[in-house]
Amino acid sequence: MFGVVLDQRLVNWPQDGGKVGERLKTFLMKHPVAREILVDAEFDENDVHWRKNLAHYSMTFAGDGFVLVGDAAAFMDPFYSPGMDWISFTTSRAAALVAAQRRGEPMSEFVERHNRDFATSHRCWFEAVYKDKYEYMGEFDLMSTALIFDLCLYYLGVASRPFKSGENALLVPPFSSMRVGPIFRFMRTYNRRFAEIARRRRKRRALGKTNRARRCLIPGFKLHSGNAKLFLQGFAKWARIEVGELLSSQTRAS
């Protein structure tokens, strides 16, 4: 199985050129790694699918007699596979709602809070991690720095919580608590900044100029304090990026 996800604002998907499978292969042949993998591949006409505007979310996550879970509630992006976490949080809260209803508890306040929490979670999750990320996904320095920040904060704020607090941690969706406001703003800040840098590089035709032969080989993540050193490395990488951008702008000005 092979697939591709693209930002329609940045990538021109071939509208003509035959069947979807043929257009997909033609499109992928432009990438050196994809070309090496797929040069002799043949597609199955009965198993080729195309979806436009894949991301979606519901305006209402629960109501009178229903509660949405998983992709029925929202779908952000396949990158980082957030859907697996989304399933965990939405199904846990759905089960809690059903249990409360069966106990005969008044539901209006529970449903209102459910809708508020998941609307906030989805909006902040998207803005912190995914909004405009495709602008810089192909830039080694920008994306490798974002990867460090994204994964460190994921392990700190999401993956570690069930180990510390048990299954009740799954009743509080990411970014829905007021306590994570500074973390959300930090993530949104570096994501926006890296997208801005990438747009500037695109204007001056400098995208990917320093990518060649570079690899992001991090030692991995574990649920312990050692991630703090990697987090500091992320700040050091960000500082080098900003210095490089400053020097580049001064060179162009002179």
Side-chain angles (χ1 to χ4, degrees), residues 32-33 36 139-141 143-145 147-148 210-219 237:
V33 176
E36 182 178 343
E139 291 294 279
F140 173 83
D141 56 349
M143 189 60 219
S144 61
T145 306
L147 179 69
I148 290 174
T210 61
N211 286 0
R212 187 175 180 84
R214 300 180 73 183
R215 302 289 186 271
C216 182
L217 301 177
I218 57 179
K237 287 171 66 68

Side-chain angles (χ1 to χ4, degrees), residues 191-230:
N191 189 51
R192 286 178 172 178
R193 177 57 180 158
F194 294 166
E196 179 186 359
I197 291 173
R199 283 191 286 266
R200 290 180 179 179
R201 291 178 181 179
R202 181 176 285 106
K203 286 183 179 180
R204 63 177 191 263
R205 299 182 181 277
L207 282 176
K209 294 297 185 180
T210 61
N211 286 0
R212 187 175 180 84
R214 300 180 73 183
R215 302 289 186 271
C216 182
L217 301 177
I218 57 179
F221 291 82
K222 297 180 181 179
L223 298 176
H224 60 59
S225 58
N227 292 336
K229 298 174 78 172
L230 192 57

Side-chain angles (χ1 to χ4, degrees), residues 90-150:
T90 54
T91 54
S92 297
R93 279 287 287 268
L97 280 180
V98 172
Q101 192 275 336
R102 290 181 64 83
R103 290 193 299 267
E105 299 179 20
M107 296 303 297
S108 59
E109 184 177 344
F110 288 157
V111 170
E112 181 181 352
R113 185 175 65 185
H114 183 92
N115 283 317
R116 183 178 63 249
D117 285 353
F118 279 100
T120 300
S121 176
H122 181 274
R123 176 182 60 81
C124 293
W125 200 337
F126 175 74
E127 289 187 11
V129 180
Y130 293 104
K131 187 176 182 180
D132 293 331
K133 205 176 203 76
Y134 286 76
E135 291 273 10
Y136 65 87
M137 198 172 284
E139 291 294 279
F140 173 83
D141 56 349
L142 299 175
M143 189 60 219
S144 61
T145 306
L147 179 69
I148 290 174
F149 286 146
D150 290 346

Side-chain angles (χ1 to χ4, degrees), residues 56-58 61 68-76 81-93 114-115 117-123 125-126 154 158 170 173-175:
H56 65 268
Y57 70 97
S58 175
F61 296 91
L68 303 179
V69 300
D71 289 352
F75 180 85
M76 275 179 276
S81 300
M84 300 305 295
D85 294 311
W86 187 248
I87 289 171
S88 299
F89 288 104
T90 54
T91 54
S92 297
R93 279 287 287 268
H114 183 92
N115 283 317
D117 285 353
F118 279 100
T120 300
S121 176
H122 181 274
R123 176 182 60 81
W125 200 337
F126 175 74
Y154 170 78
V158 179
L170 297 176
F175 300 110

